[in-house]
Amino acid sequence: MAQVQYAPPAARPAAVQSVLAPPEGPTLPLSQLAPEAALRRLELAIVRRLEGFLQGDHLGLLPGPGSDLNDARIYVPGQDDVRRMDWAVTARTTVPHVRDTVADRELEVWALLDVTPSMNWGTGGVTKRDLGIAAIATIGFLSQQMGDRFGGLVMRPSGLRHIPARAGRTALYALLRSMLTEPIVPDETAGVMDLPQGIDQMARTQRRRGLRLVVSDFLTPGDIELDPQAEPVWERPLRRLAVRNQVICVETLDRHEVDFPDVGDILIRDPETDFERYVNTSDDDARLRMNAAAAAQRERIRVALRRAGCAHIQLRTDRDWVQDIARFVLAYRRVAGALHRPPRGHSQ
Amino acid sequence: MTGLILGLPSFMTPGRLWLIVVPLALLGLYIFLSKRKSRRGIRYTNTSILDIIVPAQSQWLRHVTVGLALVSLVCLAFAWARPLGTDQVPRERATVVLILDISNSMGATDLSPSRLAVAQQEVVNLVDSLPDGYNLALVEMAGSSTLVLPPTTDREIFQRAVQGVELEPSTDVAAALRVALSALELVPAGEDDQPVPAAVVMFSDASGTTGSTSPKQVAGQLAELGVPLYPIVFGTDYGYVDLTNADGQVERYQVPPDHQFFAELAQITGGQAYGADDAAQAQEACAKIQSTVGHVEVEKEVTAQWAGLAAVFAAVAAVGAVMLGARWR
């Protein structure tokens, strides 16, 4: 395969406009979401057992026709195929045995994309929402195997929109385009749907085991807790989701969310709540305290995700997400088995 | 500055007051813009943390700066309309008739050394403090009032006349006022045939004990001429005099001052009565009379005052603007 040169996308002023007003459209074209060719060499480690009928690369949960050998059991005349006889075991035990196979399974990936107004923000070239779509694209191309299906859930304040799971790269492109062209949610939209509900609904409606992506900034409006021991509202739904699925959480982050900007005395509004206040951002003390609090907030998110048994990718709008995800995937191969060990009493 | 306290002054060109519309319109605009919800500002996602880290800034500096700038504009609009204030200008010519009560009751010693002595002292002081151009007349008030000294500008004769008075029995306020009226007639008219402004100052202690006409009637005549009466009422409620009657026996008379009577008289003429329980109060009353009789109120343009006021407000507003605009660090 030819070596594909990949350069990070140039900074686009369109995203910076999101500081003043909600963006009018995607800040990233479909073609720049992920370098598909460069990602072919990477492979996402899937450690949890899956369900499905197609030939695949992944471990299955139920016995069935397949190529992967499972346990040997006593031959039942008339029911078992003699071609499946395990002669070695039969010779050892003097009782006829057959070798079972495990059904080959395909992977089903569902991605939950948070498009609430706080995601329509970014100072580093892309908005957090488009960074999340780029992350879905990158992970989607990584997990593209024969028969693997990729579905999407778009979490708007008014409710979840399903993009059905389909196999193949054309279907993945369709899904990404659909996510990119999803209408921008206006500021201060009142709605019933929030992240915990979105996760719960994904766990309820998508019953097939598989890989789940949760893309959000994991910020809860009005949550002022900084103690890592305190559970965020979305932790329990995530833990429920992780019982049956392998969950990867993509936390999208902007540089100025952890490094409070110095822009003088300015009116600051929240895109989701009615918060509106003049803040003297030139106050060094306040900025330092703000940065410390934001760091503690991110640490709390990290700890909560780890507690829930989810893998955690932190992406920043001012960094190259492909590089970050590639680094994650390489390290993930070693830690995924331990990380996604299911709770006691549940199968792998 | 009286205009500020007592209300709006009168203006020489009130038509220019329409300029006040400008600051009022600006005030309305400011309130409208402050209340408007869709103000521009930056969007920021992590405001739940920001809320507890950076407490709400008080907006008083912003409001005070805008308010002072607008008040400064209002003051400037007033200044442009040329406001009128009053000013105390020393009078050049005037006639003052001093009526000195020499009835026996003035011999009471409740004021030290006696009521008459204090009154004499105050007359001398008042005469000294009045401008040299004033015509002064002295009237002795007793059972029969006499014009001791017709209007004159000679202070030395006047002082000698005051020192030379002696106590006499009974009091006739109405007669004394009539004599004062006749003394005023002796004064020649002013340059443009206008009567020279005049005032009557009365040093007394009690209402009349004799006399056929009512003092209030004479006071009415004074009022018609536009001559105010300023009585200074001497004595305390416990004053008394010991008098030897025809039989050679000493009788004691209570001589309390009659404040009510003199206050009514003064009110009729448009003047004011003062009480003097002791020498210090008498001095104070004389000082007040001197400033009212010795000065005339003149309407004057006070544009500079309002412009100065506007400058002060503008300066404070500018300080606020600098504090808002500057980055401290």
Side-chain angles (χ1 to χ4, degrees), chain A residues 18-19 117-118 120-121 187 222-224 226 256-257 260 262-271 275-278 280 282-283 290 293 297, chain B residues 33-59 62 323-324 326-329:
Chain A
S18 69
V19 172
S118 73
N120 298 330
W121 197 79
D187 277 2
D223 186 8
I224 57 168
L226 294 176
H256 288 300
E257 283 176 330
F260 195 58
D262 177 1
V263 285
D265 205 2
I266 200 164
L267 178 73
I268 289 185
R269 287 185 293 120
D270 190 291
F275 179 94
E276 205 175 56
R277 179 175 298 174
Y278 276 99
N280 180 14
S282 298
D283 184 350
M290 185 69 198
Q297 192 186 24
Chain B
L33 289 179
S34 300
K35 296 289 173 203
R36 204 161 59 108
K37 262 298 167 201
S38 59
R39 278 178 291 174
R40 280 290 267 224
I42 63 166
R43 298 163 81 232
Y44 192 68
T45 50
N46 206 355
T47 54
S48 54
I49 295 294
L50 187 66
D51 192 18
I52 54 167
I53 298 294
V54 186
Q57 248 177 332
S58 71
Q59 295 296 302
R62 207 175 290 272
M323 282 172 71
L324 281 177
R327 290 202 174 194
W328 296 99
R329 271 168 288 183

Side-chain angles (χ1 to χ4, degrees), chain A residues 114-175:
Chain A
D114 179 359
V115 293
T116 50
S118 73
M119 292 288 280
N120 298 330
W121 197 79
T123 61
V126 292
T127 60
K128 294 198 287 177
R129 164 186 164 140
D130 295 341
L131 178 69
I133 298 174
I136 291 173
T138 311
I139 293 176
F141 287 124
L142 280 178
S143 62
Q144 279 285 295
Q145 302 288 345
M146 188 63 185
D148 287 350
R149 303 199 300 159
F150 205 106
L153 292 166
V154 180
M155 193 186 89
R156 302 177 65 85
S158 50
L160 277 188
R161 187 166 87 82
H162 286 246
I163 304 170
R166 291 187 315 178
R169 55 186 290 276
T170 320
L172 181 59
Y173 271 117
L175 174 127

Side-chain angles (χ1 to χ4, degrees), chain B residues 176-256:
Chain B
L177 290 176
R178 268 200 299 274
V179 173
L181 271 174
S182 62
L184 288 174
E185 284 165 10
L186 299 175
V187 182
E191 291 164 4
D192 41 2
D193 280 346
Q194 294 288 315
V196 173
V200 178
V201 183
M202 182 183 273
F203 299 78
S204 181
D205 61 345
S207 54
T209 52
T210 57
S212 50
T213 48
S214 160
K216 290 182 182 175
Q217 207 178 332
V218 191
Q221 291 176 27
L222 279 177
E224 280 171 22
L225 289 175
V227 179
L229 172 68
Y230 299 99
I232 303 179
V233 188
F234 285 83
T236 63
D237 287 343
Y238 312 106
Y240 61 88
V241 281
D242 292 333
L243 293 178
T244 314
N245 62 8
D247 304 337
Q249 286 172 327
V250 175
E251 279 185 48
R252 174 162 291 190
Y253 296 91
Q254 298 294 326
V255 281

